[in-house]
Amino acid sequence: MFSQEAKKHQVRGVVYDGTMRKPLPSVTITLFRGTPAIKPRNAITDSAGKFIFDRVDTGTYKLAASDIVHKELQQTIRITAGDVDLDTLFLNSKVTTLGEITVSSKKPFIERRIDKLVLNVESSAVAAGGSVMDVLQTSPGVTVNDNIISLKGRKGVTIMIDGRPSTLSSSDIANILQSLPANSVARIEIIANPSSKYDAAGNAGIINIVTKKIRVKGFNGTVNASSGFGVYPKYNGGGSFNYKENQFNLFGNYYINRSTGFSGYTSKRIIDSVDFDESGKSKTTSTSHNYLVGIDFQAGKRNVIGFSMTGNISDSRFKEDFNTDFVKAKKDSSLLVDNLTNSDYNNMSWNLNHDFRIDTLGKTLSTNLDYSRFTWNNAGLYNNTYLNQDGLPMRDLEMLRNNSEVLIKIGSVKLDYTHPVNKRNMTIGAGVKASWVRTDSDIRFDTKNGAVWQEDPGKTNHFIFDEYITAAYLNVTRKIKDYELQIGLRGEHTHNKGNLLTGNIINSNDYLKLFPSLFVSKKLNESETLNFSYGKRINRPSYEDLNPFIYYNSPYSFYQGNSFLQPELTNTFEVGYSLNDELLVSLNYSNTKDYFTYLTYLDDITKISKETINNFKRYISYGTSISLDKELTDWWHVSGNLDVFYEEYSSFYRTRDFKNALINASGNLTNDFSFANNNSVVLTGIYRSPSIDGIKRNYARYRMDAGYKKSWLNKNLILKLAVRDVFYTYRKNGNNRIENLNVEFTNRGDTRVFSVDLTYKFGNQKLKSRKPVQGNSDELKRIKGLE
């Protein structure tokens, strides 16, 4: 190895198991010098055990190879001229140390890869005694508002657990992530602009939570219990387990959540010269059971067969009371509304998967078969009392009732093939997928006349929706010197039909769309990286939004779906810069055609407000995201995110074109202070500036959270005390103003919560790399509330 001193070089090699003599994927390779000012570089071996470092300066280095199972191997290398090929490194149970320096290899918290951000949760200060939600709230580009998770300012994020889309409502997802200990998670993958390998649905990206699974024999797991109190009490608990014996690996989890939520609200609608002054409160009591059970079978050295079943059983009781005063100079009359709704929700999903490792060079073929079944039963009773200005009844009590039954069935088959071309540092991926969906919604409304209930034909309907999607993709990744490139193309053909049986109205769509993606990453030097990405996405309406049924609220307010909704298409561009994986800066631009969102229309004659969902002409957004994750001292860790975006909605409302635009910002700052004897304090500040959504404008919101953590038994027993929204400032206020619509609203929920959380880990905690991927992610997220 002889060359000029200024030339940059490549260091490459392959890692094998010293006993089994087979390639080792997911091994951490660290390249470092003894100079503290030079940040170590990290790489991860691929499925063939290979790793590469590009643009390495001449000099003497230490190279360390380790994973959580094998003993660390260190080797001294010297670069003087030409590239360095280390050939094969063997990891075994004995410690091999070459040289005088011993380094404990620790992955950085944030790793920037060509198509995603990887958060190594074990390296996060927040993870020690915190929950997965605690980590997410301080993650780059992630915003959590009212249990809704957004990414780079965009809602509708797909939440995956071990590569499988969650089949839970947004509130259940939030409860699970809040009760799931962060130390049970290996990493979180933030995919703001998914490649062509993923379903093209959704314009807000993917967050994949990869949990730990055990590869050593025996039984182990985690149990967790917590309680909280705001206006009403809340409880949740559960645990996860893993049992491995010979070729079998059994795993599962179960979580129960029982909570009571509160909301107090006011609104004022000015119609002609009459004020509709509304004030009320609601109370929701719900119990949910969420579970997962699965088994993996190692059928020889190259085949793994897995089966899993997930489910959610929940019931809720919603009670709402509000009063509307009709004021013209003085109060003219009033309406008292008393609503009571009981809902039962049951969903189950089954997954059968097969991973076939074709050869030792990294060729793989994976197959996923999925089937999901969802049922929802809802019964509602609505009482309306009309009073004159003296508070006396003006007419008989008005009573309505609703009985609804919804059945959704989803099936899919998916095949993925990976073919590495090692001589060219290239990997080719290809796959196909077919899916089908049927929803059957039977909505029945009755009005009581005297002592007799009679069907209300204006609100009753029966709607059946069928959809078939076939897809194929090709994805190519290649490394060329300082660059890493990934280019892909996905095609999806969609055919669907909606049939409103009660009105004999049929609406169908048939279209083929292509979705290209491009990623470019350039290593500027050992600490700086520049990235570019482009992707085209489609966001199909949820099944509930396509159903033109009426969701009744009061005689003057209701919601109705829209069977003529069209999917929205989004083109997204992003340029990103990272420094030492601690400072991340990105510039983002997205342009969405046929963007759909909720609009409120006011009937001039009946004075009834109808909220429905419609397609806009266009929605554009551009701005910047900045995140910092830094150990300031050995006892003070700080992390923060700031997103600043310009948003613009343009469409047609009733009689004219309109445009609604605003610059908005959101940010959070977390300080984690560690003290002796495993004590720590966490302080988090959150701010959301005024924002818009269609014609709606939301005012600024802010809050502060505080927490205390203490651990015992080698950090296996962890106690956490926390207060969310310490000063009770996180209220939601805003307005809807356009043409004849003028509404001001205020909503104050159960945001200040005191909680106590206890977590205990038992058994040996070691990672297993295999994670089957569920194939029906596109369809699952379109069930209302599961996004």
Side-chain angles (χ1 to χ4, degrees), residues 598-617:
Y598 300 98
L599 288 174
T600 302
Y601 296 90
L602 177 64
D603 190 301
D604 290 323
I605 298 175
T606 64
K607 313 306 180 186
I608 294 175
S609 295
K610 181 182 79 169
E611 185 179 29
T612 188
I613 187 167
N614 277 334
N615 288 105
F616 277 49
K617 288 182 180 178

Side-chain angles (χ1 to χ4, degrees), residues 652-665:
F652 184 84
Y653 183 88
R654 288 169 58 99
T655 60
R656 65 179 179 87
D657 291 321
F658 83 92
K659 182 171 70 173
N660 199 11
L662 186 70
I663 297 176
N664 70 77

Side-chain angles (χ1 to χ4, degrees), residues 541-560:
S542 71
Y543 308 123
E544 184 175 327
D545 285 335
L546 287 168
N547 187 349
F549 83 99
I550 290 176
Y551 182 87
Y552 181 86
N553 184 45
S554 82
Y556 291 93
S557 176
F558 66 89
Y559 164 84
Q560 187 172 24

